[in-house]
């Protein structure tokens, strides 16, 4: 199996929204309540993903020509993100455990280095935090975010780039 990482295109917005919803609803199901998952997944719209592609560096991983996951990093401050913020990492449930997240985060790191960023920061779900840790991110604190009346906890994590 070969994972190919490429830059996202505006036409990818619908599939990115679908992959993120599936990852939330299936892969993160053991880490959050059904109500928490529902409000989180509801925010993953095609329009939101089109905006991410327009304003951040979004990288897509494909396996056999099919989108298997994606990640994004903000090269500059935009829409409440800080420079170096890895705002998204989603892998299709069917592609989990096959190196997709590793390939994406390696590409994100390369893009951040090319942009001259000194560090990466993310707000990782409990499902994603171990993946980030394996790739050198360290947990800084536990955070809470409230979405439509549901409070979700997550880990703020950083990785210094040298």
């Amino acid at each position: 199996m070969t994972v190919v990482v490429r830059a996202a295109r505006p036409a990818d917005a619908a599939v990115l929204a679908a992959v993120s919803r599936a990852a939330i609803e299936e892969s993160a199901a053991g880490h959050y309540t059904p109500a928490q998952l529902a409000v989180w997944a509801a925010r993953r719209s095609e329009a939101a993903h089109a905006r991410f592609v327009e304003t951040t560096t979004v990288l897509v991983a494909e396996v056999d020509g099919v989108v298997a996951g994606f990640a994004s990093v903000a090269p500059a401050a935009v829409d409440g993100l800080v420079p170096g913020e890895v705002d998204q990492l989603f892998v299709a449930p069917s592609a989990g455990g096959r190196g997709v997240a590793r390939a994406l985060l390696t590409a994100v790191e390369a893009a951040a280095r090319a942009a001259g960023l000194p560090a990466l920061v993310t707000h990782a779900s409990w499902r994603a935090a171990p993946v980030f840790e394996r790739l050198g991110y360290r947990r800084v604190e536990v955070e809470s975010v409230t979405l439509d009346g549901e409070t979700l906890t997550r880990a703020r994590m950083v990785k210094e780039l040298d």
Side-chain angles (χ1 to χ4, degrees), residues 81-82 85-87 121-125 132 143 154-157:
L81 303 177
V82 299
E85 186 165 341
V86 180
D87 185 45
V121 62
T122 194
H123 307 275
S125 71
F132 282 97
E143 306 175 312
R154 60 192 186 184
R156 182 173 174 273
M157 305 179 80

Side-chain angles (χ1 to χ4, degrees), residues 70-121:
F70 68 97
S72 70
V73 61
V78 63
D79 294 347
L81 303 177
V82 299
E85 186 165 341
V86 180
D87 185 45
Q88 304 177 90
L89 172 64
F90 290 102
V91 174
S94 62
R98 297 166 68 187
V100 173
R102 176 179 295 278
L104 285 165
L105 289 178
T106 299
V108 159
E109 189 172 322
R113 287 179 192 281
L117 297 169
L120 294 169
V121 62

Side-chain angles (χ1 to χ4, degrees), residues 28-57:
H31 302 275
Y32 297 95
T33 68
Q36 290 170 323
L37 295 168
V39 297
W40 183 13
R43 297 175 152 268
R44 309 309 303 185
S45 69
E46 186 174 339
H49 286 280
R51 175 79 180 155
F52 296 137
V53 171
E54 176 185 308
T55 61
T56 67
T57 300

